[in-house]
Amino acid sequence: MPYPAKTSPEAILETALELLEQEGQANLSMRNLAQQLDLKAPSLYRYYADKKALEVAMVGYATDLLRQQIESGIEGLVPRKALKKAAEIYLEFTRAHPNLYALTMNASRFPYHPSGTGKALWNVLLAVVGRVTKNPDDTAATVALWAFLHGFANLEHSGMFGPSGPKGGFEVGLSALLEGFKTRAT
Amino acid sequence: MPYPAKTSPEAILETALELLEQEGQANLSMRNLAQQLDLKAPSLYRYYADKKALEVAMVGYATDLLRQQIESGIEGLVPRKALKKAAEIYLEFTRAHPNLYALTMNASRFPYHPSGTGKALWNVLLAVVGRVTKNPDDTAATVALWAFLHGFANLEHSGMFGPSGPKGGFEVGLSALLEGFKTRAT
DNA sequence: GTCTATATGCGGATAGAC
DNA sequence: GTCTATCCGCATATAGAC
């Protein structure tokens, strides 16, 4: 008869995030998570209906955090600088939380849900790009930037660049896209 | 006492490739694979030491096939056209074999091995980009292109573009990169 | 609210008979 | 070369006692 409760939805979420980053997605099991919280696995189901519900919460946290970091990081910058800064923050985020980012983007398992935190993040990127291309709803250009950022982060995290590394590929690609987007504005 | 053998390394590999595309990576188990071949799982270990060895063979097949398709597809094209064509073939490949492509690029599990088929594929991309940037060893630009292609393919396959789709983002990004690469040549 | 015990299912891989 | 039988481990999730 433990009072008060030994845990909470927030504590579970926090611990899950830590466990994900430290042990990787493959080791994020309800058993391991419970162990970290000095609990047994069945107790977790009082707070999250199933594992997917917990993952949805984790993805929501991730997209919200990234959006916040970008929004505050680009404040007061002119369009071009803002886009570059947003790209850098995005990449830094994928480096700081590689497994959380992978979970977030591996979300083909979650049904598309337009009114989520992912939509808010998308809108921030859309606005940043729009200020450069002079088109506030430039889906195509935003998709292009997103693809580049995501691809670079993913290849880097997967170790696909090998021991020699990307050799300035990020800066070159970002500059080229910016150049192309400027042309697009005229 | 079955003579001749009921299977072969080649037949196993082929069936594994089919099974991967049809059922997805999660369902590619030694048991399922054996069933497709009218075998029992233990028999497979006579031909591949373990599952990882089989996956290595699959990745080798994928990178080799993609390299071949790009090489023959760009034959006789001028540099700019060749790069565009190579990018299109790359994307088409990821659409034709999404799960095989994912396995190939998910290869952080495989140790980096410079003398594999992946290196040959990289060299083709390097040459294609080099003809545009007038630098036969332009690692940075090749990384940028690769990141864009991989990112776009990955986001598309994950359903991250949502119901509205990428809205021309591929063409816009590719043109922007090409534009930037041309500038790089001067 | 947490626990033990369990249902149920999956996977990779091996030993040893035939 | 293929098989049966098995070991061993992992997982999500539930029932019901406390």
Side-chain angles (χ1 to χ4, degrees):
Chain A
M1 351 21 190
Y3 284 92
K6 287 175 69 174
T7 191
S8 66
E10 294 78 19
I12 292 172
L13 176 58
E14 275 177 43
T15 307
L17 292 165
E18 290 168 14
L19 188 60
L20 174 63
E21 282 314 330
Q22 286 162 15
E23 305 288 334
Q25 199 166 344
N27 293 322
L28 178 62
S29 65
M30 299 303 262
R31 283 168 172 26
N32 285 347
L33 177 55
Q35 194 176 22
Q36 286 286 316
L37 288 156
D38 280 305
L39 287 175
K40 301 300 177 180
S43 303
L44 300 173
Y45 291 86
R46 290 270 160 190
Y47 302 90
Y48 291 94
D50 50 30
K51 194 186 182 185
K52 182 160 282 191
L54 176 58
E55 287 176 334
V56 167
M58 294 171 76
V59 169
Y61 170 85
T63 52
D64 206 49
L65 177 61
L66 176 54
R67 179 191 54 74
Q68 282 178 36
Q69 290 186 356
I70 293 177
E71 275 188 331
S72 65
I74 64 175
E75 221 169 346
L77 298 180
V78 296
R80 249 188 84 97
K81 294 263 187 195
L83 199 158
K84 273 208 148 152
K85 186 72 178 175
E88 287 160 9
I89 292 171
Y90 189 105
L91 183 61
E92 276 166 27
F93 183 89
T94 70
R95 287 168 171 166
H97 318 284
N99 295 329
L100 177 58
Y101 178 74
L103 175 70
T104 302
M105 290 300 155
N106 192 355
S108 55
R109 300 146 32 183
F110 313 118
Y112 178 78
H113 198 42
S115 65
T117 55
K119 183 75 175 175
L121 172 58
W122 166 259
N123 284 337
V124 170
L125 291 179
L126 197 63
V128 170
V129 170
R131 284 169 62 200
V132 171
T133 67
K134 301 268 172 58
N135 174 0
D137 193 36
D138 198 338
T139 301
T142 307
V143 162
L145 175 68
W146 190 23
F148 172 70
L149 295 177
H150 173 64
F152 189 92
N154 200 325
L155 291 174
E156 182 177 77
H157 179 226
S158 300
M160 298 296 291
F161 292 140
S164 58
K167 295 261 193 199
F170 185 74
E171 293 75 15
V172 166
L174 188 54
S175 296
L177 286 175
L178 255 176
E179 209 57 31
F181 290 174
K182 268 203 307 188
T183 309
R184 202 170 163 76
T186 64
Chain B
M1 0 3 199
Y3 284 91
K6 286 175 71 177
T7 191
S8 67
E10 294 78 19
I12 292 172
L13 176 58
E14 275 178 41
T15 307
L17 291 165
E18 290 168 13
L19 188 59
L20 174 63
E21 283 313 330
Q22 287 161 14
E23 305 287 334
Q25 199 166 343
N27 293 321
L28 178 62
S29 65
M30 299 302 264
R31 281 170 161 78
N32 284 348
L33 176 55
Q35 194 177 23
Q36 287 286 315
L37 288 155
D38 280 305
L39 288 174
K40 301 300 177 181
S43 304
L44 300 173
Y45 291 86
R46 289 273 160 188
Y47 301 91
Y48 292 94
D50 50 29
K51 194 186 182 186
K52 181 159 283 190
L54 176 58
E55 288 176 336
V56 167
M58 295 171 77
V59 169
Y61 170 85
T63 52
D64 206 49
L65 178 61
L66 176 54
R67 179 191 54 76
Q68 283 178 36
Q69 290 187 356
I70 292 177
E71 275 188 332
S72 65
I74 65 175
E75 221 168 346
L77 298 180
V78 297
R80 250 189 82 98
K81 295 261 187 199
L83 199 157
K84 273 208 149 150
K85 186 72 178 174
E88 286 159 9
I89 291 170
Y90 190 105
L91 183 62
E92 276 166 27
F93 183 89
T94 70
R95 287 168 171 166
H97 318 286
N99 295 329
L100 178 59
Y101 178 74
L103 175 71
T104 302
M105 290 298 154
N106 191 357
S108 55
R109 299 147 34 184
F110 313 118
Y112 178 80
H113 197 41
S115 65
T117 55
K119 182 76 175 176
L121 171 58
W122 166 259
N123 284 337
V124 170
L125 291 179
L126 197 63
V128 170
V129 171
R131 284 169 60 201
V132 172
T133 67
K134 302 267 173 58
N135 173 358
D137 193 34
D138 199 337
T139 300
T142 307
V143 162
L145 175 68
W146 190 22
F148 172 70
L149 295 176
H150 173 64
F152 189 91
N154 200 327
L155 291 174
E156 183 177 79
H157 179 228
S158 300
M160 297 296 292
F161 292 141
S164 58
K167 296 263 192 194
F170 184 74
E171 292 75 14
V172 166
L174 188 54
S175 296
L177 286 175
L178 256 176
E179 208 57 32
F181 290 173
K182 266 203 308 187
T183 309
R184 202 170 162 74
T186 63

